[in-house]
Amino acid sequence: ALPSYLRDEGPKTRMSVSHDNIWISYLYGIEDLKRLTRTGSTTIFKLNGEDSPYKNSKRLFTMMQILPMGQLIQAGKKYNTADYTDYLILVRNSDWAEPFATGNSESSLVYLDDSFETK
């Protein structure tokens, strides 16, 4: 459960999830991706491609935070970003998601619309 000072009244809390805030959660390399995308877009990046700058880098797999909240991602000393993940999906400035109804397996299906971009 969220601490009381972060909770809204009622059963749900509208809360921003972001990895570009140095106080709460900062992902090294997030600014690279923001420069390549538009506000409100959803973009998939192939991180292990032949010419990918993330193949031999820890960017996008090293985090820092000043105020501890949530978990940190840290690449191991002998590993790079592409050793951990092949693709990254960046969703910029979306509204919050409503929880799925439970009890019916079909209610948990998610469909992407044609606004999905590839890079």
Side-chain angles (χ1 to χ4, degrees), residues 42 110-117:
T42 300
V110 178
Y111 298 95
L112 299 175
D113 63 22
D114 60 0
S115 64
F116 192 72
E117 296 178 22

Side-chain angles (χ1 to χ4, degrees), residues 77-91:
K77 288 185 179 193
K78 295 190 272 184
Y79 299 99
N80 296 310
T81 299
D83 294 324
Y84 291 99
T85 188
D86 297 331
Y87 294 88
L88 181 137
I89 298 173
L90 178 66
V91 180

Side-chain angles (χ1 to χ4, degrees), residues 90-101:
L90 178 66
V91 180
R92 296 212 33 208
N93 306 92
S94 69
D95 200 6
W96 68 328
E98 288 285 337
F100 289 121

Side-chain angles (χ1 to χ4, degrees), residues 2 14 119:
L2 290 171
R14 189 178 197 99
K119 287 281 180 187

Side-chain angles (χ1 to χ4, degrees), residues 27-109:
L27 179 65
Y28 288 101
I30 192 69
E31 296 301 325
D32 303 343
L33 304 182
K34 287 172 62 178
R35 279 192 293 275
L36 294 170
T37 58
R38 295 183 321 270
T39 298
S41 65
T42 300
T43 309
I44 187 169
F45 292 90
K46 184 174 182 179
L47 301 179
N48 65 349
E50 192 173 311
D51 296 328
S52 171
Y54 303 102
K55 220 173 166 177
N56 298 307
S57 168
K58 294 189 187 310
R59 293 176 80 75
L60 302 178
F61 233 85
T62 302
M63 296 179 80
M64 74 161 292
Q65 56 189 191
I66 293 174
L67 301 172
M69 187 173 181
Q71 295 181 340
L72 289 175
I73 297 171
Q74 300 297 343
K77 288 185 179 193
K78 295 190 272 184
Y79 299 99
N80 296 310
T81 299
D83 294 324
Y84 291 99
T85 188
D86 297 331
Y87 294 88
L88 181 137
I89 298 173
L90 178 66
V91 180
R92 296 212 33 208
N93 306 92
S94 69
D95 200 6
W96 68 328
E98 288 285 337
F100 289 121
T102 57
N104 180 348
S105 63
E106 291 181 320
S107 67
S108 63
L109 297 175

